């Protein structure tokens, strides 16, 4: 099992170091984690240099494989990310999402267009917390686009517990649509404290309710993660 949505103190509003996060992941028996701190347009977020220097972090800590990535912020309706392509090209994994302060609010149609345009960005591997009620979207259109673009959609455990109140019915509907259309899913802890790394309980229950098996969830298998990322990376060329 792996957790592909993890924040450190570099995000500015998270509270654990890389070493603390990796140690917690090892203690919980995770095989792999992705460090996905916010892009630079997030208040308190890291400078772009932070992402260039992720090479300083070993590929493995405490027996846990480490992917170096970003949770990029979508900053306009064209799906533009807040990190330049030259830096995105050096990362192992790119998550993208709509975030308050960073992404413009709009109608359902405008938000849907923004999210789908982000999916069309060749650097984006995963769309995070698409059930965020602050950015209502046409959920069926989003799930169908994820299948067409070979982009994973996240079921965010934090959205079901401590953040983005009102997400549950949207996440539930997105899970049902993912089952119907065969979209790839990622369970994400969206951890902002080492204690919550690998916490997927509410998200797992939601998938269970829709009879979604582990073969549809990329982070139930390290091999499945690398297959998805390698395919995405080949398609950029």
């Amino acid at each position: 099992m792996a957790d592909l949505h993890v924040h450190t103190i570099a995000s500015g509003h998270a509270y654990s170091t890389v070493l603390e996060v990796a140690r917690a992941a090892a203690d919980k028996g995770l095989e792999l984690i992705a460090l996905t701190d916010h892009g630079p347009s997030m208040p308190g977020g890291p400078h772009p240099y932070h992402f260039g220097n992720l090479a300083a972090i070993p590929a493995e800590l405490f027996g846990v494989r480490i992917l170096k990535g970003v949770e990029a912020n979508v900053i306009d309706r064209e799906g533009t990310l807040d990190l330049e392509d030259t830096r995105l090209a050096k990362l192992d994994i790119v998550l993208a999402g709509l975030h308050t302060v960073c992404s413009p609010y709009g109608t359902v149609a405008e938000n849907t267009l923004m999210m789908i345009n982000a999916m069309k960005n060749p650097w984006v591997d995963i769309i995070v917390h698409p059930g965020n009620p602050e950015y209502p979207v046409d959920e069926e259109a989003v799930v169908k686009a994820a299948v067409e673009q070979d982009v994973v959609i996240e079921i965010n455990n934090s959205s079901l517990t401590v953040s983005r109140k009102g997400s549950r019915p949207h996440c539930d509907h997105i899970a049902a649509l993912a089952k119907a259309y065969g979209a790839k899913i990622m369970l994400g802890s969206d951890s902002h404290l080492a204690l919550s790394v690998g916490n997927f309980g509410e998200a797992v229950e939601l998938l269970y309710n829709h009879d979604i098996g582990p073969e549809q969830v990329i982070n139930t298998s390290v091999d499945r993660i690398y297959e998805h990322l390698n395919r995405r990376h080949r398609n950029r060329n």
Side-chain angles (χ1 to χ4, degrees), residues 61-164:
L61 289 167
F62 309 115
V64 177
R65 281 185 263 185
I66 309 294
L67 296 182
K68 289 79 172 285
V70 63
E71 182 184 6
N73 303 292
V74 180
I75 58 174
D76 59 33
R77 295 197 177 104
E78 286 68 49
T80 306
L81 306 183
D82 62 341
L83 203 61
E84 58 268 32
D85 288 357
T86 53
R87 296 196 186 279
L88 293 169
K90 296 178 181 179
L91 298 177
D92 299 320
I93 186 169
V94 176
L95 282 52
L98 312 185
H99 294 97
T100 303
V101 180
C102 306
S103 309
Y105 292 116
T107 64
V108 169
E110 288 170 333
N111 294 338
T112 301
L113 176 65
M114 180 162 52
M115 189 172 287
I116 291 175
N117 281 341
M119 290 182 188
K120 292 178 180 178
N121 186 315
W123 301 109
V124 173
D125 302 307
I126 298 167
I127 289 288
V128 293
H129 45 70
N132 182 359
E134 295 179 312
Y135 292 93
V137 296
D138 179 334
E139 292 162 0
E140 184 170 19
V142 162
V143 171
K144 290 173 70 174
V147 175
E148 291 167 3
Q149 299 298 325
D150 190 29
V151 171
V152 173
I153 51 177
E154 180 192 45
I155 301 296
N156 185 292
N157 200 73
S158 180
S159 294
L160 302 172
T161 52
V162 299
S163 61
R164 292 176 288 275

Side-chain angles (χ1 to χ4, degrees), residues 48 73 79 95 102 106 130 136 147 156 166 186 192-193 200 203 207 218 234:
N73 303 292
L95 282 52
C102 306
V147 175
N156 185 292
M186 177 194 81
H192 285 66
L193 183 69
F200 307 124
L207 297 192
I218 69 163
R234 285 196 300 271

Side-chain angles (χ1 to χ4, degrees), residues 57 80 82 92 125 136 151 165 170 217 226 229 232:
I57 298 173
T80 306
D82 62 341
D92 299 320
D125 302 307
V151 171
K165 292 182 179 180
H170 301 285
V217 183
Y226 284 119
L229 295 178
R232 293 291 299 163

